[in-house]
Structures are given as C-alpha cells and as structure tokens.
Amino acid sequence: MSDIFTSFNINSSGMTAQRYRMDIISQNIANANTTRTEDGTPYRRKVVTFAEKNSQTPFSNVLNTATDRYSGTGVKVNGVYDDTWTDMVKAYDPSHPDADEDGYVSYPNVNIVTEMTNMIDASRAYEANATAFTASKSMALKGLEMGKG
C-alpha cells in the first residue's frame, strides 16, 4: 500500500510545482510593460526550475536509508531565476518618463506568446498529474473493495 501513497505524493508534488510555475508566468505577463521596478530597472522575466525531490548523493543515501522510507518523492521547485540571457526590448519613445538620453525605453524581456505557451504547458502538466492522481485513487479504492468481498 505504500506504493500507492508514493504515487499520491509524486502527483501532488507535480501539481504543486506546476501551480507555482503558473503563478510565476502570470507575474511575468502582469509585468510585461513594467519599465521601472523598486530598484529603478525594468522588470526582468522570471524562470522556474524543477529538481527531483529529496534526491541525495550515494553516500548520504546509504547513510539515511532508514529515514528515506518516510521522505517524499516527486518534484520540487529548485529555484526562480531572472532571465539574463534574453535581451530587454528597446523602443523609441522620447516622451516616456523612463526614456534614456537618446529617447529609448527599455521594456521587460517578456514575450507574451512565449509566456502563454509556457502557461499552456504548465496547465497540461498539472492536468496530467491530476489525472494520474485520480487514477491512483481509483485503483486504491478498487483494491479496498476487493478486500471486502
């Protein structure tokens, strides 16, 4: 029966991670035109990375074998990073309050099409985890029903 709980844990961690990713994507979309943040620079797109939950090195895996049985498996958010590899968008608008001395405004490096594509991807991954969770739950219930008979 512990395998079914492992399945629940993996699926729920996937749903949590994808929900967080959708929150960050929504933040990117909301700030697509923010030319000045608290530090005075344009908003910089955020990117979420994932990692295996509770992955350990071989030594610590051997050392912690007893406790590993009770730790979760699945996926976790590894970090949220600023997208420093994509250039900011420059637009000529000398009347804008954030224009430089040449009349150009630096807009965030947020591409709405990319963000919407990522949102669809995160949404589908969330749905896949929800479907797998429901299937696992259904199998567990069928197993309990078989035990009654």
Side-chain angles (χ1 to χ4, degrees):
M1 195 66 167
S2 68
D3 287 338
I4 198 73
F5 292 118
T6 300
S7 174
F8 290 155
N9 197 9
I10 290 169
N11 298 139
S12 64
S13 71
M15 288 189 293
T16 301
Q18 293 300 338
R19 183 193 53 79
Y20 185 76
R21 181 177 172 215
M22 287 188 274
D23 289 345
I24 297 299
I25 293 168
S26 297
Q27 179 182 339
N28 288 340
I29 293 170
N31 286 291
N33 292 315
T34 303
T35 58
R36 188 182 316 160
T37 59
E38 291 176 2
D39 64 0
T41 60
Y43 176 83
R44 189 167 284 279
R45 177 177 180 258
K46 308 277 187 271
V47 179
V48 178
T49 59
F50 299 136
E52 181 182 354
K53 191 175 180 185
N54 292 333
S55 62
Q56 298 180 346
T57 61
F59 175 75
S60 61
N61 195 9
V62 171
L63 185 64
N64 296 316
T65 301
T67 57
D68 281 347
R69 290 185 305 210
Y70 304 106
S71 65
T73 55
V75 67
K76 67 178 180 178
V77 173
N78 192 38
V80 178
Y81 303 98
D82 287 343
D83 177 354
T84 56
W85 53 91
T86 306
D87 294 330
M88 295 294 196
V89 177
K90 291 264 190 186
Y92 185 72
D93 186 0
S95 64
H96 194 285
D98 292 326
D100 63 15
E101 59 276 352
D102 297 325
Y104 286 93
V105 180
S106 289
Y107 283 95
N109 57 347
V110 175
N111 181 321
I112 298 297
V113 174
T114 301
E115 298 303 323
M116 292 305 295
T117 303
N118 289 341
M119 182 71 83
I120 291 168
D121 180 57
S123 176
R124 297 261 168 87
Y126 183 94
E127 290 171 10
N129 278 293
T131 300
F133 189 93
T134 302
S136 296
K137 184 174 107 179
S138 177
M139 284 188 274
L141 289 172
K142 288 292 181 189
L144 290 172
E145 287 174 9
M146 288 173 36
K148 286 197 280 186

